[in-house]
Amino acid sequence: MAPKSIDAVDDQIKDVIQDLFQIQVATHNYAGPQTQQELVRLITQLAGSLAILSNDASALPDQIPPEIIDYVDSGRNPDIYTREFVELVQKGNQYLKGRSEALTGFRDALAEEMVKAWPDMKTDVHNVLQSSNTEQNKRAEFVVQTNGTST
């Protein structure tokens, strides 16, 4: 039964690395025909480990965005990609928060001026503010409730 967890595949990668290390040691200590059989056995073991790893890794769900794979293939650190991505998201969030706050301020100012200009529309303005009730528009509701006088 093929392992499906990333931890099992991680263990298989460690086994492949160990096989490569054993081949390196056997190559370094090569003493002629007597060590040739051991080297052949290690290479066969490596090929088997790589085949198992390939089969089991292909069963894992793909959760890595292709951009990160391209980033790593070009020799760059994926942590840098992650940091740049987080910074970009934070910048976008700050921009959208600023827009939201500006629109909330405009809505509040508009509600206040509408109540000042047309006192008979106070109920309608209050209903509109109630339908979009958030923490941010409590100030505007207070202004509307006090007949348009600013506090």
Side-chain angles (χ1 to χ4, degrees):
M1 181 173 177
K4 301 280 192 252
S5 74
I6 196 155
D7 292 331
V9 172
D10 187 46
D11 290 339
Q12 290 174 347
I13 291 172
K14 290 176 185 174
D15 290 343
V16 168
I17 293 171
Q18 181 63 33
D19 290 344
L20 287 169
F21 177 74
Q22 289 175 352
I23 290 172
Q24 178 187 8
V25 170
T27 304
H28 179 64
N29 296 331
Y30 188 73
Q34 61 267 35
T35 57
Q36 184 176 357
Q37 285 300 98
E38 177 66 14
L39 201 52
V40 168
R41 185 189 66 78
L42 289 173
I43 291 173
T44 305
Q45 181 179 338
L46 173 64
S49 296
L50 286 171
I52 293 170
L53 175 63
S54 177
N55 288 336
D56 292 345
S58 65
L60 288 175
D62 294 335
Q63 297 178 346
I64 300 174
E67 297 86 16
I68 293 178
I69 294 172
D70 294 340
Y71 204 82
V72 171
D73 283 345
S74 67
R76 300 190 67 193
N77 187 342
D79 292 335
I80 294 171
Y81 177 87
T82 304
R83 186 183 67 228
E84 290 172 352
F85 182 77
V86 167
E87 289 172 357
L88 183 63
V89 168
Q90 286 175 338
K91 184 186 291 186
N93 285 346
Q94 288 174 346
Y95 173 75
L96 291 176
K97 182 180 182 224
R99 282 186 60 170
S100 176
E101 288 174 353
L103 289 172
T104 299
F106 175 72
R107 182 201 58 216
D108 294 348
L110 180 62
E112 183 178 340
E113 292 301 318
M114 286 181 70
V115 168
K116 285 180 184 176
W118 299 292
D120 55 324
M121 294 190 66
K122 174 183 170 187
T123 306
D124 294 329
V125 171
H126 178 72
N127 289 339
V128 168
L129 290 176
Q130 277 281 351
S131 69
S132 65
N133 193 12
T134 63
E135 285 292 318
Q136 296 167 338
N137 70 6
K138 287 184 177 178
R139 179 184 152 297
E141 285 184 30
F142 179 75
V143 169
V144 169
Q145 290 173 356
T146 58
N147 289 330
T149 57
S150 195
T151 57

